[in-house]
Amino acid sequence: MFNQFLYELRAQGMEVSTTEWLTLMEGLQMGLHGATVSGFYNLCRAVLCKSESDYDNFQQAFTTYFQDGIVYGDQALRDQISDQIMEWVNDPGRHGGRILRKNADDITEEMKNLTREQIEEKFRRRLSRQQKEHNGGV
């Protein structure tokens, strides 16, 4: 699926070797991207950019391939993406992905009645009692 992305990177002037490309594929297989688009972007950039001078070319290639290809409707590219992946992209929370937006169910009745200052004070108290990393309450 990503072979055309390799060609787009090269078209933008990036000198991506086969070894670097295989390293990226190995990182993806190991899950180093964290199953997020931003994680994928950062993994690609870390593996494929040799210096800061590559960042602009990488950004252009990434945007051209993924935004123009997927978001704007390149049907040939969409056909390469499995239904399961598209389902996950459209609803990450249903498949164990991290959801960055909050909805009305996330706000308790108590929180609805507090001012911003009260919420901030409550947060500071909890933070002062925290002794170790808790990873979202787990």
Side-chain angles (χ1 to χ4, degrees), residues 24-46:
L24 174 62
M25 295 300 111
E26 185 178 348
L28 289 171
Q29 186 176 13
M30 293 170 62
L32 299 179
H33 58 298
T36 66
V37 174
S38 62
F40 174 69
Y41 175 89
N42 290 326
L43 177 63
C44 290
R45 194 171 87 163

PDB file of all heavy atoms in Angstrom, residues 24-46:
ATOM      1  N   LEU A  24      11.542   1.295   8.117  1.00  0.00           N
ATOM      2  CA  LEU A  24      10.221   1.874   8.389  1.00  0.00           C
ATOM      3  C   LEU A  24       9.163   0.772   8.447  1.00  0.00           C
ATOM      4  O   LEU A  24       8.330   0.749   9.365  1.00  0.00           O
ATOM      5  CB  LEU A  24       9.851   2.904   7.334  1.00  0.00           C
ATOM      6  CG  LEU A  24       8.439   3.470   7.427  1.00  0.00           C
ATOM      7  CD1 LEU A  24       8.228   4.206   8.743  1.00  0.00           C
ATOM      8  CD2 LEU A  24       8.152   4.379   6.241  1.00  0.00           C
ATOM      9  N   MET A  25       9.183  -0.140   7.495  1.00  0.00           N
ATOM     10  CA  MET A  25       8.203  -1.228   7.477  1.00  0.00           C
ATOM     11  C   MET A  25       8.327  -2.097   8.733  1.00  0.00           C
ATOM     12  O   MET A  25       7.327  -2.522   9.310  1.00  0.00           O
ATOM     13  CB  MET A  25       8.367  -2.102   6.222  1.00  0.00           C
ATOM     14  CG  MET A  25       8.074  -1.401   4.913  1.00  0.00           C
ATOM     15  SD  MET A  25       6.384  -0.768   4.797  1.00  0.00           S
ATOM     16  CE  MET A  25       6.666   0.982   4.856  1.00  0.00           C
ATOM     17  N   GLU A  26       9.546  -2.320   9.184  1.00  0.00           N
ATOM     18  CA  GLU A  26       9.762  -3.090  10.411  1.00  0.00           C
ATOM     19  C   GLU A  26       9.214  -2.339  11.620  1.00  0.00           C
ATOM     20  O   GLU A  26       8.575  -2.930  12.494  1.00  0.00           O
ATOM     21  CB  GLU A  26      11.258  -3.371  10.600  1.00  0.00           C
ATOM     22  CG  GLU A  26      11.569  -4.260  11.774  1.00  0.00           C
ATOM     23  CD  GLU A  26      13.058  -4.561  11.896  1.00  0.00           C
ATOM     24  OE1 GLU A  26      13.830  -4.281  10.958  1.00  0.00           O
ATOM     25  OE2 GLU A  26      13.448  -5.095  12.951  1.00  0.00           O
ATOM     26  N   GLY A  27       9.445  -1.030  11.666  1.00  0.00           N
ATOM     27  CA  GLY A  27       8.899  -0.217  12.759  1.00  0.00           C
ATOM     28  C   GLY A  27       7.383  -0.250  12.786  1.00  0.00           C
ATOM     29  O   GLY A  27       6.768  -0.314  13.850  1.00  0.00           O
ATOM     30  N   LEU A  28       6.757  -0.222  11.612  1.00  0.00           N
ATOM     31  CA  LEU A  28       5.303  -0.318  11.538  1.00  0.00           C
ATOM     32  C   LEU A  28       4.823  -1.671  12.038  1.00  0.00           C
ATOM     33  O   LEU A  28       3.850  -1.763  12.787  1.00  0.00           O
ATOM     34  CB  LEU A  28       4.823  -0.088  10.103  1.00  0.00           C
ATOM     35  CG  LEU A  28       4.935   1.328   9.578  1.00  0.00           C
ATOM     36  CD1 LEU A  28       4.634   1.366   8.092  1.00  0.00           C
ATOM     37  CD2 LEU A  28       4.019   2.260  10.349  1.00  0.00           C
ATOM     38  N   GLN A  29       5.526  -2.721  11.632  1.00  0.00           N
ATOM     39  CA  GLN A  29       5.153  -4.068  12.057  1.00  0.00           C
ATOM     40  C   GLN A  29       5.283  -4.209  13.576  1.00  0.00           C
ATOM     41  O   GLN A  29       4.487  -4.899  14.209  1.00  0.00           O
ATOM     42  CB  GLN A  29       6.027  -5.094  11.356  1.00  0.00           C
ATOM     43  CG  GLN A  29       5.621  -6.521  11.625  1.00  0.00           C
ATOM     44  CD  GLN A  29       6.457  -7.514  10.820  1.00  0.00           C
ATOM     45  OE1 GLN A  29       7.481  -7.172  10.255  1.00  0.00           O
ATOM     46  NE2 GLN A  29       5.999  -8.742  10.777  1.00  0.00           N
ATOM     47  N   MET A  30       6.252  -3.530  14.168  1.00  0.00           N
ATOM     48  CA  MET A  30       6.453  -3.584  15.618  1.00  0.00           C
ATOM     49  C   MET A  30       5.462  -2.696  16.365  1.00  0.00           C
ATOM     50  O   MET A  30       5.407  -2.725  17.589  1.00  0.00           O
ATOM     51  CB  MET A  30       7.884  -3.148  15.962  1.00  0.00           C
ATOM     52  CG  MET A  30       8.942  -4.122  15.454  1.00  0.00           C
ATOM     53  SD  MET A  30      10.618  -3.476  15.608  1.00  0.00           S
ATOM     54  CE  MET A  30      10.750  -3.267  17.369  1.00  0.00           C
ATOM     55  N   GLY A  31       4.689  -1.896  15.634  1.00  0.00           N
ATOM     56  CA  GLY A  31       3.701  -1.030  16.267  1.00  0.00           C
ATOM     57  C   GLY A  31       4.281   0.242  16.852  1.00  0.00           C
ATOM     58  O   GLY A  31       3.671   0.867  17.723  1.00  0.00           O
ATOM     59  N   LEU A  32       5.442   0.671  16.380  1.00  0.00           N
ATOM     60  CA  LEU A  32       6.081   1.859  16.930  1.00  0.00           C
ATOM     61  C   LEU A  32       5.322   3.149  16.623  1.00  0.00           C
ATOM     62  O   LEU A  32       5.607   4.181  17.214  1.00  0.00           O
ATOM     63  CB  LEU A  32       7.525   1.969  16.420  1.00  0.00           C
ATOM     64  CG  LEU A  32       8.451   0.812  16.780  1.00  0.00           C
ATOM     65  CD1 LEU A  32       9.828   1.026  16.191  1.00  0.00           C
ATOM     66  CD2 LEU A  32       8.526   0.633  18.297  1.00  0.00           C
ATOM     67  N   HIS A  33       4.372   3.065  15.722  1.00  0.00           N
ATOM     68  CA  HIS A  33       3.568   4.234  15.366  1.00  0.00           C
ATOM     69  C   HIS A  33       2.412   4.443  16.342  1.00  0.00           C
ATOM     70  O   HIS A  33       1.752   5.477  16.300  1.00  0.00           O
ATOM     71  CB  HIS A  33       3.033   4.095  13.944  1.00  0.00           C
ATOM     72  CG  HIS A  33       2.201   2.873  13.738  1.00  0.00           C
ATOM     73  ND1 HIS A  33       2.701   1.596  13.893  1.00  0.00           N
ATOM     74  CD2 HIS A  33       0.906   2.739  13.415  1.00  0.00           C
ATOM     75  CE1 HIS A  33       1.734   0.730  13.656  1.00  0.00           C
ATOM     76  NE2 HIS A  33       0.647   1.389  13.367  1.00  0.00           N
ATOM     77  N   GLY A  34       2.189   3.512  17.232  1.00  0.00           N
ATOM     78  CA  GLY A  34       1.148   3.653  18.239  1.00  0.00           C
ATOM     79  C   GLY A  34      -0.254   3.665  17.682  1.00  0.00           C
ATOM     80  O   GLY A  34      -1.182   4.145  18.326  1.00  0.00           O
ATOM     81  N   ALA A  35      -0.442   3.177  16.473  1.00  0.00           N
ATOM     82  CA  ALA A  35      -1.764   3.095  15.833  1.00  0.00           C
ATOM     83  C   ALA A  35      -2.446   4.451  15.704  1.00  0.00           C
ATOM     84  O   ALA A  35      -3.659   4.565  15.789  1.00  0.00           O
ATOM     85  CB  ALA A  35      -2.676   2.107  16.568  1.00  0.00           C
ATOM     86  N   THR A  36      -1.624   5.505  15.499  1.00  0.00           N
ATOM     87  CA  THR A  36      -2.175   6.837  15.269  1.00  0.00           C
ATOM     88  C   THR A  36      -1.536   7.428  14.028  1.00  0.00           C
ATOM     89  O   THR A  36      -0.415   7.072  13.664  1.00  0.00           O
ATOM     90  CB  THR A  36      -1.914   7.790  16.455  1.00  0.00           C
ATOM     91  OG1 THR A  36      -0.506   8.031  16.564  1.00  0.00           O
ATOM     92  CG2 THR A  36      -2.465   7.236  17.754  1.00  0.00           C
ATOM     93  N   VAL A  37      -2.245   8.348  13.407  1.00  0.00           N
ATOM     94  CA  VAL A  37      -1.699   9.006  12.225  1.00  0.00           C
ATOM     95  C   VAL A  37      -0.488   9.848  12.612  1.00  0.00           C
ATOM     96  O   VAL A  37       0.526   9.840  11.920  1.00  0.00           O
ATOM     97  CB  VAL A  37      -2.770   9.867  11.520  1.00  0.00           C
ATOM     98  CG1 VAL A  37      -2.166  10.657  10.381  1.00  0.00           C
ATOM     99  CG2 VAL A  37      -3.909   8.992  11.017  1.00  0.00           C
ATOM    100  N   SER A  38      -0.582  10.561  13.730  1.00  0.00           N
ATOM    101  CA  SER A  38       0.564  11.381  14.156  1.00  0.00           C
ATOM    102  C   SER A  38       1.752  10.486  14.506  1.00  0.00           C
ATOM    103  O   SER A  38       2.902  10.841  14.230  1.00  0.00           O
ATOM    104  CB  SER A  38       0.194  12.290  15.324  1.00  0.00           C
ATOM    105  OG  SER A  38      -0.189  11.535  16.444  1.00  0.00           O
ATOM    106  N   GLY A  39       1.499   9.347  15.107  1.00  0.00           N
ATOM    107  CA  GLY A  39       2.572   8.401  15.393  1.00  0.00           C
ATOM    108  C   GLY A  39       3.210   7.879  14.123  1.00  0.00           C
ATOM    109  O   GLY A  39       4.431   7.745  14.030  1.00  0.00           O
ATOM    110  N   PHE A  40       2.379   7.591  13.132  1.00  0.00           N
ATOM    111  CA  PHE A  40       2.879   7.150  11.834  1.00  0.00           C
ATOM    112  C   PHE A  40       3.741   8.234  11.190  1.00  0.00           C
ATOM    113  O   PHE A  40       4.838   7.982  10.704  1.00  0.00           O
ATOM    114  CB  PHE A  40       1.709   6.774  10.923  1.00  0.00           C
ATOM    115  CG  PHE A  40       2.108   6.446   9.518  1.00  0.00           C
ATOM    116  CD1 PHE A  40       2.834   5.294   9.240  1.00  0.00           C
ATOM    117  CD2 PHE A  40       1.766   7.281   8.479  1.00  0.00           C
ATOM    118  CE1 PHE A  40       3.214   4.984   7.938  1.00  0.00           C
ATOM    119  CE2 PHE A  40       2.142   6.978   7.178  1.00  0.00           C
ATOM    120  CZ  PHE A  40       2.860   5.830   6.913  1.00  0.00           C
ATOM    121  N   TYR A  41       3.239   9.457  11.221  1.00  0.00           N
ATOM    122  CA  TYR A  41       3.983  10.600  10.666  1.00  0.00           C
ATOM    123  C   TYR A  41       5.345  10.735  11.345  1.00  0.00           C
ATOM    124  O   TYR A  41       6.373  10.855  10.686  1.00  0.00           O
ATOM    125  CB  TYR A  41       3.158  11.873  10.834  1.00  0.00           C
ATOM    126  CG  TYR A  41       3.871  13.133  10.417  1.00  0.00           C
ATOM    127  CD1 TYR A  41       3.798  13.581   9.100  1.00  0.00           C
ATOM    128  CD2 TYR A  41       4.622  13.870  11.320  1.00  0.00           C
ATOM    129  CE1 TYR A  41       4.455  14.727   8.700  1.00  0.00           C
ATOM    130  CE2 TYR A  41       5.286  15.016  10.927  1.00  0.00           C
ATOM    131  CZ  TYR A  41       5.192  15.442   9.621  1.00  0.00           C
ATOM    132  OH  TYR A  41       5.853  16.588   9.229  1.00  0.00           O
ATOM    133  N   ASN A  42       5.345  10.710  12.674  1.00  0.00           N
ATOM    134  CA  ASN A  42       6.597  10.879  13.416  1.00  0.00           C
ATOM    135  C   ASN A  42       7.567   9.724  13.185  1.00  0.00           C
ATOM    136  O   ASN A  42       8.778   9.936  13.086  1.00  0.00           O
ATOM    137  CB  ASN A  42       6.317  11.057  14.903  1.00  0.00           C
ATOM    138  CG  ASN A  42       5.667  12.389  15.198  1.00  0.00           C
ATOM    139  OD1 ASN A  42       5.952  13.382  14.549  1.00  0.00           O
ATOM    140  ND2 ASN A  42       4.777  12.408  16.169  1.00  0.00           N
ATOM    141  N   LEU A  43       7.050   8.506  13.109  1.00  0.00           N
ATOM    142  CA  LEU A  43       7.912   7.359  12.829  1.00  0.00           C
ATOM    143  C   LEU A  43       8.542   7.500  11.446  1.00  0.00           C
ATOM    144  O   LEU A  43       9.754   7.321  11.282  1.00  0.00           O
ATOM    145  CB  LEU A  43       7.128   6.051  12.918  1.00  0.00           C
ATOM    146  CG  LEU A  43       7.910   4.781  12.573  1.00  0.00           C
ATOM    147  CD1 LEU A  43       9.051   4.552  13.559  1.00  0.00           C
ATOM    148  CD2 LEU A  43       6.966   3.584  12.551  1.00  0.00           C
ATOM    149  N   CYS A  44       7.733   7.833  10.453  1.00  0.00           N
ATOM    150  CA  CYS A  44       8.250   8.020   9.096  1.00  0.00           C
ATOM    151  C   CYS A  44       9.320   9.103   9.070  1.00  0.00           C
ATOM    152  O   CYS A  44      10.386   8.923   8.480  1.00  0.00           O
ATOM    153  CB  CYS A  44       7.127   8.407   8.135  1.00  0.00           C
ATOM    154  SG  CYS A  44       5.955   7.107   7.766  1.00  0.00           S
ATOM    155  N   ARG A  45       9.031  10.214   9.710  1.00  0.00           N
ATOM    156  CA  ARG A  45       9.988  11.326   9.703  1.00  0.00           C
ATOM    157  C   ARG A  45      11.285  10.951  10.406  1.00  0.00           C
ATOM    158  O   ARG A  45      12.369  11.269   9.932  1.00  0.00           O
ATOM    159  CB  ARG A  45       9.362  12.567  10.343  1.00  0.00           C
ATOM    160  CG  ARG A  45      10.158  13.830  10.066  1.00  0.00           C
ATOM    161  CD  ARG A  45       9.412  15.031  10.510  1.00  0.00           C
ATOM    162  NE  ARG A  45       9.730  15.259  11.905  1.00  0.00           N
ATOM    163  CZ  ARG A  45       9.517  16.387  12.530  1.00  0.00           C
ATOM    164  NH1 ARG A  45       8.936  17.397  11.911  1.00  0.00           N
ATOM    165  NH2 ARG A  45       9.841  16.525  13.797  1.00  0.00           N
ATOM    166  N   ALA A  46      11.173  10.245  11.527  1.00  0.00           N
ATOM    167  CA  ALA A  46      12.368   9.852  12.282  1.00  0.00           C
ATOM    168  C   ALA A  46      13.244   8.893  11.479  1.00  0.00           C
ATOM    169  O   ALA A  46      14.468   8.984  11.529  1.00  0.00           O
ATOM    170  CB  ALA A  46      11.961   9.214  13.609  1.00  0.00           C
TER     171      ALA A  46
END
